[in-house]
Amino acid sequence: MSGVGPVEPGEGTRAWDTVEPAPRLLPGSPRERLTSLYARRRRVVLASATAVAVVAGGGYLFATRPHDPPPPEAPYPSQAVTVTYLGTEGPPADAPSRSFSFAVQVTAQSGPTITIVRISQPYATLSLTSVPRPPFRTKPGFGHKIVVTMHVTECANVPSNAALPFLDVTLRNTRAIEDHSFILGERYAHDLSGALQVACSNDSRSSPKR
């Protein structure tokens, strides 16, 4: 050998730096169809997994971020209203005989606006009207004066001693509607008992009308 040239592989040897191309699949062959189906399913699975991960991550962020506390629920109307006795009043000029009047103040302490739906009293022998006439509203923090006029319809069954008289008031706000009895105190009991005695005193005006 007189020269130096490239070394050719001998018999039984292989050049490892030569990459043989992979055999091509025949179009429409079962193997090609399986390979294509696998590729499509793999893309669908990867897309579904990505969507689930995004949703899960968003839910985690929503659950862990700080939230504002919910607004407090409105109180029941009977818990937010006070009724205070103010004193006697002169009855209206057009009031029938055996009538007397007094004033109360209704105040909403808190919560939304409260509607006074109805005012009544427990005695069957007395009728009641008021100014203003229900229904009307009262806003929180403002006292609402109400003049109540009672009329004795039958003196025979009027209580001789109204020890614990009360007013029945129907109240409504955004949470509930309630019937509540308000006891107005000793001064109201004293004035009511005196008014009943005067209205049913032994004179010609005390006889019940038939």
Side-chain angles (χ1 to χ4, degrees):
M1 297 179 62
S2 59
V4 178
V7 179
E8 296 183 358
E11 185 179 356
T13 63
R14 184 176 182 179
W16 293 101
D17 55 349
T18 303
V19 178
E20 296 182 359
R24 297 183 61 184
L25 298 177
L26 296 177
S29 65
R31 186 175 179 182
E32 183 186 33
R33 289 197 297 270
L34 289 176
T35 301
S36 176
L37 178 62
Y38 172 77
R40 287 198 300 270
R41 288 188 176 179
R42 187 170 181 271
R43 287 194 296 269
V44 171
V45 170
L46 289 176
S48 300
T50 302
V52 170
V54 170
V55 172
Y60 175 79
L61 292 176
F62 180 80
T64 55
R65 74 173 186 177
H67 295 279
D68 294 333
E73 192 172 13
Y76 286 100
S78 62
Q79 298 173 345
V81 165
T82 59
V83 179
T84 306
Y85 178 65
L86 298 180
T88 59
E89 294 271 337
D94 58 348
S97 60
R98 298 200 299 269
S99 297
F100 55 92
S101 299
F102 58 90
V104 297
Q105 180 171 285
V106 177
T107 306
Q109 304 291 340
S110 60
T113 298
I114 293 178
T115 300
I116 313 300
V117 179
R118 185 174 66 94
I119 302 174
S120 61
Q121 49 78 42
Y123 302 115
T125 55
L126 296 176
S127 64
L128 181 151
T129 59
S130 69
V131 177
R133 298 176 66 89
F136 57 88
R137 295 181 176 183
T138 179
K139 295 181 179 181
F142 294 92
H144 205 121
K145 181 180 178 180
I146 305 170
V147 177
V148 177
T149 298
M150 290 188 181
H151 169 61
V152 181
T153 58
E154 186 181 350
C155 285
N157 295 318
V158 166
S160 58
N161 183 19
L164 286 175
F166 53 87
L167 286 181
D168 292 324
V169 183
T170 302
L171 307 165
R172 183 181 69 232
N173 67 0
T174 56
R175 180 171 184 177
I177 180 169
E178 290 184 301
D179 294 321
H180 193 75
S181 298
F182 291 91
I183 297 176
L184 301 182
E186 184 178 351
R187 189 160 67 97
Y188 170 67
H190 179 269
D191 290 347
L192 178 60
S193 296
L196 292 175
Q197 291 176 8
V198 171
C200 293
S201 59
N202 293 325
D203 57 19
S204 58
R205 295 178 301 171
S206 64
S207 300
K209 296 180 180 180
R210 298 184 183 276

